[in-house]
Amino acid sequence: MSDWTNAAAWIAPAATMIAAMMTAANLGARTTGWGFAVFTIGSVCWALIGATTGQTNLLATNGFLTLVNLVGIWRWLGRQARYQDGAESAASESEKCLGPSLTAASALCGFAVTDSNGEALGHCVEALIDRASGQIDYIVVASGNAVGLDEQLRGVARASCRFDNDAIALMMPRTAFVDLPILPDGEWPARLSTSSPPGN
């Protein structure tokens, strides 16, 4: 094999593994977009290996994957990053204005969640919105270990939440949070609103 092919044989698997970790981590539009960029490097290297070793199937597959990866770059580094920039700009500007400040609804998923003492409980995985009022009815908080094993989901009513720039503080101690019912997989309640936060 040529020097180019030898180099590609090392780069291709490394780029593919790194890109898979970047996209699987779901760390935001830019990280996902750059993950697709690294995927593109990997697919080009795999295609080069296929072309120089006569493996037509490897060449064809990775030629197609290169096109898919370019679409991923456009979507996540182009369009989605633009949406994220706009939302972050609005949130930042709202901090300087009188009246309520803004947080992008899409940003809530992934926000760290703490109890009333500031101790970490988990992170927000979803926010359910009342279609009639347009208000958040409840958020879903995932708690468990760092790798997601033994994860438990609990619904927390909007009245018990305070939204900050990049975190959600619950107006309840850890004991009250732990006492909330665990949501069964695929069967979340239609409504969870309460008039006042529990457990203070």
Side-chain angles (χ1 to χ4, degrees):
M1 290 193 294
S2 68
D3 290 342
W4 280 106
T5 307
N6 284 328
W10 284 99
I11 296 171
T16 303
M17 289 184 286
I18 292 169
M21 289 187 289
M22 291 174 71
T23 54
N26 192 25
L27 296 176
R30 282 190 180 77
T31 302
T32 300
W34 282 111
F36 276 107
V38 178
F39 262 134
T40 302
I41 294 170
S43 61
V44 168
C45 288
W46 284 119
L48 176 62
I49 294 168
T52 56
T53 60
Q55 299 180 70
T56 309
N57 58 341
L58 189 61
L59 172 61
T61 300
N62 284 279
F64 174 75
L65 288 177
T66 298
L67 296 176
V68 172
N69 293 330
L70 292 174
V71 172
I73 293 171
W74 168 79
R75 185 185 191 284
W76 292 100
L77 279 183
R79 190 175 66 175
Q80 202 68 28
R82 185 180 64 188
Y83 299 160
Q84 184 175 317
D85 288 345
E88 289 174 357
S89 173
S92 177
E93 287 301 313
S94 73
E95 294 291 331
K96 305 172 188 175
C97 302
L98 295 176
S101 56
L102 303 174
T103 295
S106 60
L108 293 178
C109 296
F111 270 18
V113 178
T114 61
D115 68 6
S116 55
N117 297 315
E119 296 181 8
L121 294 173
H123 64 280
C124 177
V125 296
E126 192 56 271
L128 284 299
I129 296 174
D130 183 317
R131 282 179 286 187
S133 68
Q135 303 295 314
I136 293 174
D137 189 80
Y138 69 94
I139 66 168
V140 178
V141 180
S143 58
N145 59 34
V147 295
L149 299 176
D150 195 30
E151 182 181 72
Q152 296 178 332
L153 302 179
R154 291 178 173 85
V156 181
R158 168 66 184 90
S160 298
C161 304
R162 187 180 74 248
F163 298 92
D164 296 324
N165 288 336
D166 56 1
I168 301 171
L170 302 187
M171 293 180 281
M172 64 176 72
R174 176 182 292 274
T175 52
F177 171 76
V178 172
D179 285 342
L180 294 172
I182 296 172
L183 300 179
D185 290 344
E187 295 182 14
W188 296 356
R191 192 162 302 278
L192 199 68
S193 285
T194 58
S195 57
S196 60
N200 269 329

